[in-house]
Amino acid sequence: MAESNNSEYVVLEDASSTSLDKYQRVSVLPLVFLIFYEVSGGPFGVEDSVKAGGPLLALLGFLLFPIIWSIPEALITAEMGTMFPENGGYVVWVSSALGPYWGFQQGWMKWLSGVIDNALYPVLFLDYLKSAIPALEGGFPRIIAILVLTVALTYLNYRGLSIVGWLSIILGVFSLLPFVFMGVVSIPKIKPSRWLVADMSTVDWGLYLNVLFWNLNYWDSISTLAGEVENPSTTLPKALFYAIILVVFGYFFPILIGTGAIPVDRELWSSGYFSEVAQIMGGVWLRSWVQGASAVSNMGMFVAEMSSDSFQLLGMAERGMLPEFFAKRSPYGTPLTGILFSASGVILLSWLSFQEIVAAENFLYCFGMIMEFIAFIKLRIKSPTAPRPYKIPVGTAGAILMCIPPTLLILVVLALASLKVVAISMIAVVIGLILQPCLAYAEKKMWLSFSKNCNLSSFHFC
C-alpha cells in the first residue's frame, strides 16, 4: 500500500515469531507487570502531588490524568503495537509514516530518554539504604555501590526477558502488599472530609503537573519488545488494559488511605512520606516494609526499562538503522550489545541530580510522543485498510481529537522546562540529527556492517 514517501509496506502478523521459537516468549501476566514497572512501580514518588495541590487535587489528578494521557497513549500503543508486532516499537511506527530518517530520530530520543530515566533507579535505591549504611551517602563507596548494583541488575536482563517478567511479578506484589495492609488497618481512622481539602491559591502547578506526568507516562515503552511477546495481537492489548487498572489503583488507593486516615500537613508530603504514614498506622515494622518495597521497586523499574531500551536497539538494527552487531543475541535471546550500551549510558549519567534527570528525560520524551501522534494519525489517513489486529473504535476525526489533549499537555510540560534543560535537550536532538547521516556514510564506506531483516513487515527497506 502506497505511502506519501513512495515507500511500501506489508504487515505480516507475528512476522518475527519464526526466528524466536527457540526462546521463551512473554505471556500476559509477566507483560502486565513489565508495563507496571515501565510506567509506575508503585506509589513511591507521588507524595509531592499532595504537597503541590492538596488531597483533593491529588486524588482527582490520578483519576483524570490517566483519561487525558495514559489511556490515549495505551490505546495507540495497542493499535500500533499489534499493527507492527516486532521489536523496535515506536521506531517502526514513525519510520512507516515519516520515513527511516525520522524513525532514527525517534529511536535516538526515546532511547536516550529511557537511559536517562534508568539512571535514577540505582541512585534512588541507595538513597533508601543510606540511613542504614551511612557510607553509601557519598564518595567512593557510593560509586562502587552504583557500579555493583548496575552490573547485577544488568546481568538479570542478560539472562532473559522471561526472568525479568517473573521477577517483576514478585517485586510488584511485594511493593503493593504493604499498602493493602495499610488500607485494612486505616478503615476505623478514615475521615472522608479530609479528601475534600483544597486551596487553589497555594497550588504549585509546575510541581503538580510534573509529578503526574512523570508517574503516568511510558506506556509506549512495552512496544519495543513486542516481538518477544506470545501472540502479541491479543496479549498486548489485554496486558495494557490490566496494567492501566493496576497502575491507577496503585496510585489512587495509597493516596486515599494516607490522606483520609491522618491529618494532612501538605509540607510533610514529599518523596518517602508514605513510610511515615505506615509507621503511624502500623508501627516501625510496617514502615520498614514500605521502605523495603520502595527500594526493590527501583530494581523492578530498572530491569523493565533496560529491557525496553535494549530491545529497541535490537529492533533498529534489524531494520538496518544501526550496525548489525546491535542485533546480536545472547544464548538467552537477549540483545547483548543493546544491554551493554544501555548499561554504559546509565553509569555515565548517574552523576546527574534527580531534578536534572527527570526534567531532561521528560523533555526528550515529549518530542518523541509528538512524532508518535503524528505517525498514528498519518497511518490512519494514508493507510486506513492496513491490517490492525486491534483498532481503536474511532474514525479518523476521533483519532485526531483523541491526540489533542495529550498534545496540549506536552506543550505545557515543554513550556515549564528550564533554560538549562532546554539547552541540554536540544544538544541531544542535534546529535541525533547528525548521527544518522554519519552512520549512513559509514555504511556506504563499509566501515560498519549493516543488515536488514526482510522477514519483518516491509516498508521501504525490503
Side-chain angles (χ1 to χ4, degrees):
M1 81 199 45
E3 288 293 315
S4 60
N5 60 2
N6 296 320
S7 62
E8 294 185 352
Y9 70 95
V10 178
V11 176
L12 304 176
E13 185 174 350
D14 298 349
S16 59
S17 62
T18 56
S19 62
L20 292 169
D21 289 341
K22 61 181 178 179
Y23 304 121
Q24 187 174 353
R25 309 188 86 193
V26 183
S27 57
V28 172
L29 185 59
L31 194 63
V32 169
F33 278 88
L34 278 171
I35 298 170
F36 170 74
Y37 270 116
E38 286 177 349
V39 174
S40 168
F44 316 107
V46 303
E47 298 97 331
D48 282 307
S49 65
V50 179
K51 181 177 183 177
L56 180 61
L57 282 183
L59 291 168
L60 288 176
F62 283 102
L63 284 180
L64 298 178
F65 196 91
I67 298 173
I68 297 171
W69 177 265
S70 300
I71 292 177
E73 186 182 4
L75 288 172
I76 291 172
T77 300
E79 178 171 320
M80 302 300 289
T82 56
M83 186 177 179
F84 299 100
E86 60 182 87
N87 300 324
Y90 36 69
V91 177
V92 182
W93 314 343
V94 173
S95 296
S96 66
L98 306 177
Y101 179 81
W102 291 110
F104 180 90
Q105 303 310 318
Q106 171 77 356
W108 165 250
M109 285 187 287
K110 295 300 285 283
W111 178 79
L112 190 58
S113 170
V115 170
I116 292 172
D117 182 62
N118 224 14
L120 284 171
Y121 304 127
V123 173
L124 291 176
F125 180 83
L126 294 179
D127 285 343
Y128 284 108
L129 294 182
K130 67 184 181 183
S131 59
I133 310 175
L136 296 178
E137 188 165 355
F140 187 71
R142 184 177 179 87
I143 294 173
I144 294 299
I146 289 176
L147 290 174
V148 170
L149 186 60
T150 301
V151 170
L153 296 178
T154 299
Y155 179 72
L156 289 176
N157 279 93
Y158 168 77
R159 284 301 303 269
L161 193 56
S162 61
I163 291 178
V164 171
W166 289 106
L167 177 66
S168 297
I169 295 174
I170 295 170
L171 296 180
V173 172
F174 180 78
S175 297
L176 294 175
L177 270 181
F179 296 97
V180 175
F181 183 84
M182 285 169 59
V184 173
V185 300
S186 70
I187 292 175
K189 305 174 184 178
I190 292 290
K191 293 184 179 180
S193 60
R194 292 170 177 159
W195 297 330
L196 304 177
V197 175
D199 184 356
M200 303 302 289
S201 64
T202 60
V203 176
D204 184 343
W205 290 106
L207 177 61
Y208 178 73
L209 290 174
N210 270 318
V211 170
L212 292 176
F213 188 76
W214 186 58
N215 283 286
L216 285 165
N217 60 18
Y218 278 91
W219 295 94
D220 59 337
S221 293
I222 199 65
S223 68
T224 64
L225 43 85
E228 313 301 308
V229 174
E230 180 182 294
N231 192 17
S233 62
T234 57
T235 300
L236 186 59
K238 284 182 182 178
L240 283 162
F241 173 75
Y242 295 136
I244 284 179
I245 296 174
L246 182 63
V247 168
V248 173
F249 177 83
Y251 285 146
F252 184 81
F253 183 71
I255 295 176
L256 192 72
I257 60 177
T259 57
I262 61 175
V264 177
D265 183 346
R266 282 174 53 182
E267 292 305 313
L268 297 178
W269 279 82
S270 58
S271 183
Y273 186 64
F274 273 126
S275 62
E276 303 299 325
V277 175
Q279 183 170 357
I280 293 171
M281 293 185 183
V284 175
W285 73 271
L286 186 56
R287 176 183 179 177
S288 299
W289 189 2
V290 170
Q291 288 177 328
S294 302
V296 301
S297 174
N298 289 298
M299 295 171 58
M301 288 186 282
F302 183 98
V303 295
E305 180 65 52
M306 179 167 283
S307 294
S308 174
D309 296 340
S310 58
F311 274 102
Q312 178 199 313
L313 297 181
L314 182 145
M316 292 176 70
E318 290 180 336
R319 287 288 180 181
M321 297 181 182
L322 292 175
E324 64 179 3
F325 58 78
F326 279 97
K328 180 179 176 58
R329 289 178 181 260
S330 73
Y332 306 100
T334 49
L336 181 59
T337 306
I339 288 174
L340 292 175
F341 264 72
S342 298
S344 300
V346 168
I347 292 172
L348 289 173
L349 293 167
S350 60
W351 58 272
L352 293 173
S353 71
F354 179 87
Q355 293 80 7
E356 289 172 329
I357 289 175
V358 171
E361 67 96 3
N362 274 350
F363 200 89
L364 293 171
Y365 181 83
C366 287
F367 272 114
M369 285 309 305
I370 289 174
M371 284 206 286
E372 285 182 34
F373 293 154
I374 293 172
F376 167 65
I377 293 172
K378 184 175 181 181
L379 289 174
R380 273 296 191 96
I381 294 172
K382 299 295 185 179
S383 306
T385 60
R388 291 170 169 85
Y390 173 83
K391 185 176 182 179
I392 306 170
V394 295
T396 301
I400 295 172
L401 290 173
M402 186 178 71
C403 292
I404 292 176
T407 301
L408 293 175
L409 179 63
I410 285 173
L411 296 178
V412 172
V413 172
L414 293 176
L416 292 173
S418 67
L419 289 178
K420 180 180 179 181
V421 169
V422 172
I424 294 173
S425 301
M426 294 310 298
I427 290 172
V429 170
V430 170
I431 291 173
L433 296 174
I434 298 172
L435 184 59
Q436 196 277 343
C438 290
L439 287 174
Y441 185 77
E443 180 181 15
K444 181 180 178 181
K445 292 292 186 179
M446 294 186 290
W447 296 339
L448 294 171
S449 178
F450 291 73
S451 62
K452 300 167 186 176
N453 185 350
C454 291
N455 290 322
L456 298 172
S457 53
S458 176
F459 57 89
H460 184 76
F461 292 133
C462 300

